[in-house]
Amino acid sequence: MAEDEPRGVVVGVDGSEPSRRALDWAMTEAQLRGLPLYVVSAAPPAGAYAAMAPGGLYVEDISAALDAIRGETEALVAEVDQARDERFTGESHVQVYSGTATEVLLGMSERHELVVVGSRGTGGFSRLLLGSVSTAVVHHAACPVLVVRT
Protein backbone atom coordinates (compact mmCIF):
# COMPACT_ATOMS: atom_id res chain seq x y z
CA MET A 1 0.00 0.00 0.00
CA ALA A 2 1.28 3.45 -0.88
CA GLU A 3 2.23 5.71 2.02
CA ASP A 4 0.28 8.64 0.55
CA GLU A 5 -2.86 6.59 -0.17
CA PRO A 6 -5.98 8.24 1.34
CA ARG A 7 -7.61 6.35 4.21
CA GLY A 8 -10.69 4.44 3.19
CA VAL A 9 -12.79 1.29 3.40
CA VAL A 10 -11.00 -1.97 2.53
CA VAL A 11 -12.82 -5.10 1.42
CA GLY A 12 -11.18 -8.46 0.84
CA VAL A 13 -12.60 -10.47 -2.07
CA ASP A 14 -11.92 -13.93 -3.43
CA GLY A 15 -14.86 -14.41 -5.80
CA SER A 16 -16.96 -16.38 -3.30
CA GLU A 17 -20.56 -15.49 -2.51
CA PRO A 18 -19.63 -14.25 1.00
CA SER A 19 -17.01 -11.92 -0.50
CA ARG A 20 -19.56 -10.63 -3.03
CA ARG A 21 -21.89 -9.72 -0.14
CA ALA A 22 -18.97 -8.10 1.69
CA LEU A 23 -18.15 -6.06 -1.43
CA ASP A 24 -21.75 -4.84 -1.71
CA TRP A 25 -21.74 -3.86 1.96
CA ALA A 26 -18.34 -2.14 1.63
CA MET A 27 -19.61 -0.11 -1.33
CA THR A 28 -22.47 1.13 0.83
CA GLU A 29 -20.15 1.93 3.77
CA ALA A 30 -17.65 3.81 1.58
CA GLN A 31 -20.47 5.77 -0.08
CA LEU A 32 -22.06 6.72 3.26
CA ARG A 33 -18.72 7.72 4.79
CA GLY A 34 -17.47 9.57 1.70
CA LEU A 35 -14.32 7.45 1.68
CA PRO A 36 -12.47 5.69 -1.13
CA LEU A 37 -13.09 1.97 -1.53
CA TYR A 38 -10.15 -0.41 -1.81
CA VAL A 39 -11.12 -3.80 -3.23
CA VAL A 40 -8.29 -6.15 -2.32
CA SER A 41 -7.41 -9.63 -3.56
CA ALA A 42 -4.50 -11.73 -2.37
CA ALA A 43 -2.41 -14.06 -4.51
CA PRO A 44 -0.18 -16.84 -3.19
CA PRO A 45 3.17 -15.43 -2.10
CA ALA A 46 5.76 -15.39 -4.87
CA GLY A 47 7.96 -18.46 -4.63
CA ALA A 48 5.58 -20.40 -2.39
CA TYR A 49 4.14 -22.27 -5.36
CA ALA A 50 3.03 -21.50 -8.89
CA ALA A 51 -0.16 -19.47 -9.00
CA MET A 52 -3.05 -20.90 -10.97
CA ALA A 53 -4.34 -18.68 -13.75
CA PRO A 54 -7.77 -18.82 -15.43
CA GLY A 55 -8.24 -21.90 -17.60
CA GLY A 56 -6.26 -24.12 -15.24
CA LEU A 57 -2.82 -23.21 -16.59
CA TYR A 58 0.03 -22.95 -14.14
CA VAL A 59 1.89 -19.70 -14.37
CA GLU A 60 5.40 -19.37 -13.02
CA ASP A 61 5.43 -15.62 -13.63
CA ILE A 62 3.82 -13.99 -10.57
CA SER A 63 3.16 -10.74 -12.43
CA ALA A 64 1.03 -12.63 -14.98
CA ALA A 65 -0.86 -14.31 -12.14
CA LEU A 66 -1.43 -10.95 -10.42
CA ASP A 67 -2.70 -9.46 -13.69
CA ALA A 68 -5.14 -12.37 -14.10
CA ILE A 69 -6.43 -11.94 -10.55
CA ARG A 70 -6.76 -8.17 -11.08
CA GLY A 71 -8.92 -8.79 -14.16
CA GLU A 72 -11.13 -11.23 -12.27
CA THR A 73 -11.46 -8.79 -9.37
CA GLU A 74 -12.36 -5.88 -11.67
CA ALA A 75 -15.03 -8.05 -13.32
CA LEU A 76 -16.40 -8.99 -9.87
CA VAL A 77 -16.62 -5.32 -8.87
CA ALA A 78 -18.54 -4.51 -12.05
CA GLU A 79 -20.95 -7.44 -11.55
CA VAL A 80 -21.69 -6.58 -7.92
CA ASP A 81 -22.11 -2.89 -8.70
CA GLN A 82 -24.48 -3.60 -11.59
CA ALA A 83 -26.67 -5.80 -9.35
CA ARG A 84 -27.06 -3.07 -6.71
CA ASP A 85 -30.26 -1.03 -6.44
CA GLU A 86 -28.14 2.10 -6.26
CA ARG A 87 -24.84 2.13 -8.18
CA PHE A 88 -21.61 2.96 -6.36
CA THR A 89 -20.47 6.43 -7.39
CA GLY A 90 -17.49 6.86 -5.10
CA GLU A 91 -13.78 6.48 -5.71
CA SER A 92 -12.66 2.87 -5.94
CA HIS A 93 -9.36 1.05 -6.45
CA VAL A 94 -8.71 -2.61 -7.20
CA GLN A 95 -5.48 -3.83 -5.62
CA VAL A 96 -3.86 -7.25 -5.82
CA TYR A 97 -1.06 -8.23 -3.48
CA SER A 98 1.16 -11.27 -3.20
CA GLY A 99 0.60 -12.84 0.22
CA THR A 100 -2.05 -14.59 2.25
CA ALA A 101 -5.45 -12.94 2.62
CA THR A 102 -4.85 -12.55 6.35
CA GLU A 103 -1.45 -10.89 5.90
CA VAL A 104 -2.75 -8.53 3.24
CA LEU A 105 -5.86 -7.46 5.14
CA LEU A 106 -4.00 -6.99 8.42
CA GLY A 107 -1.43 -4.85 6.63
CA MET A 108 -4.18 -2.76 5.05
CA SER A 109 -5.88 -2.35 8.44
CA GLU A 110 -2.93 -0.31 9.69
CA ARG A 111 -3.68 2.57 7.29
CA HIS A 112 -7.44 2.49 6.73
CA GLU A 113 -10.70 3.28 8.52
CA LEU A 114 -12.54 -0.04 8.16
CA VAL A 115 -11.94 -3.56 6.86
CA VAL A 116 -14.91 -5.54 5.54
CA VAL A 117 -14.74 -9.32 5.13
CA GLY A 118 -17.25 -12.03 4.30
CA SER A 119 -17.58 -15.17 6.38
CA ARG A 120 -18.53 -18.62 5.15
CA GLY A 121 -20.87 -20.07 7.78
CA THR A 122 -20.86 -23.85 7.50
CA GLY A 123 -24.07 -24.59 9.41
CA GLY A 124 -24.89 -26.27 12.71
CA PHE A 125 -22.79 -25.52 15.77
CA SER A 126 -19.87 -24.39 13.62
CA ARG A 127 -22.05 -21.51 12.37
CA LEU A 128 -21.15 -19.79 15.65
CA LEU A 129 -17.55 -19.67 14.47
CA LEU A 130 -16.06 -17.40 11.83
CA GLY A 131 -13.78 -18.56 9.06
CA SER A 132 -10.03 -18.52 9.62
CA VAL A 133 -9.39 -15.28 7.70
CA SER A 134 -12.26 -13.35 9.27
CA THR A 135 -11.31 -14.64 12.75
CA ALA A 136 -7.68 -13.55 12.35
CA VAL A 137 -8.67 -10.14 10.98
CA VAL A 138 -11.22 -9.54 13.75
CA HIS A 139 -8.66 -10.39 16.44
CA HIS A 140 -5.60 -8.63 15.03
CA ALA A 141 -6.71 -5.70 12.84
CA ALA A 142 -5.57 -2.19 13.69
CA CYS A 143 -8.96 -0.68 12.72
CA PRO A 144 -12.61 -1.69 13.05
CA VAL A 145 -13.69 -4.80 11.15
CA LEU A 146 -17.12 -5.56 9.72
CA VAL A 147 -17.87 -9.25 9.11
CA VAL A 148 -20.72 -9.79 6.65
CA ARG A 149 -22.59 -13.03 7.31
CA THR A 150 -25.31 -14.77 5.35
Side-chain angles (χ1 to χ4, degrees), residues 8-35:
V9 174
V10 174
V11 58
V13 298
D14 62 5
S16 67
E17 189 55 35
S19 78
R20 293 172 77 91
R21 286 192 301 275
L23 174 57
D24 182 44
W25 197 287
M27 286 175 166
T28 300
E29 285 292 322
Q31 189 90 28
L32 289 172
R33 296 170 185 237
L35 294 172

Side-chain angles (χ1 to χ4, degrees), residues 42-86:
Y49 54 91
M52 184 174 260
L57 301 174
Y58 284 97
V59 178
E60 297 281 337
D61 180 5
I62 192 66
S63 66
L66 294 176
D67 287 346
I69 293 169
R70 176 179 305 284
E72 292 170 2
T73 303
E74 289 170 348
L76 176 70
V77 170
E79 288 172 21
V80 169
D81 191 31
Q82 190 165 0
R84 292 168 50 87
D85 291 335
E86 193 172 313

Side-chain angles (χ1 to χ4, degrees), residues 41-46 49 51 62 65-66 69 96-101 103-104:
S41 291
Y49 54 91
I62 192 66
L66 294 176
I69 293 169
V96 180
Y97 294 99
S98 178
T100 68
E103 292 169 337
V104 170

